[in-house]
Amino acid sequence: MKTISILIPCYNEQESLPTLYERLKELMDSIENYQFEIMFVNDGSRDDTLKIIKDLRVKDSRVNYVDLSRNFGKEIAMIAGIDHINTDAMIVMDADLQDPPELIKEMLYWWEQGYKDVCAKRKSRAGETWFKKWSSHTYYKILQKVSRIPVQPDVGDFRLLDRQCIEALKELRETQRYTKGLFSWIGFDKKEILFDRDARIAGKTKWNYFGLFNLAVEGITSFTIFPLRLASIIGIAIAVLAIIYMLFIIVKTLIYGGDVAGYPSLISVILFIGGVQLVFLGIMGEYLGRIFNETKGRPLYFVKECSKSK
């Protein structure tokens, strides 16, 4: 009998957990020849999330949990759960039921056909603004163009991963994580299945536009040095233009003599070049900051309490 873990990071999800469990229980009971466990990772929740998880464990021994010492963020919560999983396959999903558990049956089917990474690709996204959909689509297009890693568009964390993928992810210990990119980076045979993503069943999303922007920066800086290369290209182009302009001024002065005209244009050029330099210093600072954080060598997380050992 093959073993399957369902990994669910949680942060203040007390409203959705009872319904989530009931749907997962119904699903697990209806699938034969598999032994399931639900691995909740409590990412420093400030509501009754942990209490509800513990109550569920009392009722159902298939429920396990990892309680982190504070809120480390979803990306770290996922690797904390992965570190505590020792099953044949793992399914990652959110606690808000935007990812329909019923899709797990189809994931298992394709896994049995030999695919190592069966991911759910969104056809539609209910409950999200047009700007969020547009910005997400645009971001993935940009990331695909600048990265050598084929990051899958419109594919989130909802997926089934084989044991080989689980062990590969455990070896990646970088502190600033972009897990969607890591899923692509490790390789292995992938299969996409289409689904319509539902709106949240309860509560409010923990992601705001600032958080999504930070995640986008993590994705770009984690998987490409294109921004640094772009800075070099634009820097060279500006230097060439500056030399051409300097030669033009010299020739003009020799022919027509000097004058005091052009002060506004000169100030504009200086301010433009200064602005470009500050932007590129910021880009270099992003990469330097990543190096700084990685060299500290700190553990990714601390566990306060756990229902099972690694």
Side-chain angles (χ1 to χ4, degrees), residues 278-297:
L278 289 175
V279 169
F280 291 147
L281 280 174
I283 292 174
M284 289 186 284
E286 286 288 338
Y287 284 93
L288 184 61
R290 296 182 66 85
I291 296 171
F292 173 69
N293 287 328
E294 295 295 337
T295 56
K296 292 178 182 178

Side-chain angles (χ1 to χ4, degrees), residues 57-265:
R57 178 166 170 76
V58 172
K59 296 192 303 182
D60 191 337
S61 61
R62 295 175 295 185
V63 174
N64 284 300
Y65 66 89
V66 176
D67 182 28
L68 301 183
S69 60
R70 64 170 177 83
N71 177 244
F72 287 90
K74 182 183 176 182
E75 303 292 313
I76 298 298
M78 280 195 286
I79 189 60
I82 291 170
D83 285 342
H84 289 80
I85 285 175
N86 296 291
T87 50
D88 296 313
M90 167 187 75
I91 295 162
V92 184
M93 64 181 299
D94 291 336
D96 54 18
L97 282 174
Q98 288 186 283
D99 304 326
E102 293 73 22
L103 206 62
I104 290 175
K105 287 185 178 181
E106 188 175 352
M107 289 180 170
L108 291 171
Y109 168 78
W110 289 111
W111 177 52
E112 294 290 0
Q113 303 307 306
Y115 291 98
K116 303 295 185 181
D117 181 351
V118 183
C119 47
K121 184 172 183 176
R122 299 176 286 252
K123 288 193 298 183
S124 62
R125 306 170 70 165
E128 294 185 359
T129 64
W130 71 267
F131 178 76
K132 187 174 180 181
K133 296 175 185 177
W134 172 83
S135 58
S136 175
H137 180 71
T138 303
Y139 164 71
Y140 279 112
K141 286 182 65 176
I142 295 172
L143 187 58
Q144 283 182 313
K145 288 183 180 296
V146 302
S147 174
R148 295 181 180 179
I149 307 300
V151 179
Q152 299 161 288
D154 298 318
V155 173
D157 299 320
F158 187 29
R159 63 182 65 216
L160 180 148
L161 295 168
D162 181 77
R163 181 73 191 177
Q164 280 186 289
C165 298
I166 297 171
E167 293 304 317
L169 289 170
K170 286 181 179 180
E171 294 186 33
L172 305 179
R173 309 309 294 182
E174 55 203 70
T175 59
Q176 292 175 282
R177 308 179 68 82
Y178 181 65
T179 310
K180 295 179 182 64
L182 296 179
F183 291 148
S184 298
W185 188 87
I186 62 174
F188 299 104
D189 297 328
K190 301 184 186 301
K191 172 67 177 178
E192 293 181 355
I193 54 178
L194 299 176
F195 79 110
D196 296 305
R197 197 173 200 221
D198 299 326
R200 288 182 61 92
I201 190 173
K204 296 181 179 180
T205 180
K206 311 305 183 298
W207 290 99
N208 53 34
Y209 285 113
F210 180 74
L212 292 172
F213 175 77
N214 284 337
L215 184 64
V217 171
E218 288 292 332
I220 292 175
T221 54
S222 294
F223 290 93
T224 178
I225 60 170
F226 178 78
L228 292 175
R229 190 163 296 158
L230 181 64
S232 299
I233 293 171
I234 294 179
I236 292 171
I238 291 176
V240 170
L241 290 174
I243 292 172
I244 293 173
Y245 184 68
M246 180 184 67
L247 294 174
F248 170 75
I249 293 298
I250 292 172
V251 172
K252 180 183 174 183
T253 303
L254 291 174
I255 297 174
Y256 299 104
D259 55 41
V260 295
Y263 177 77
S265 60

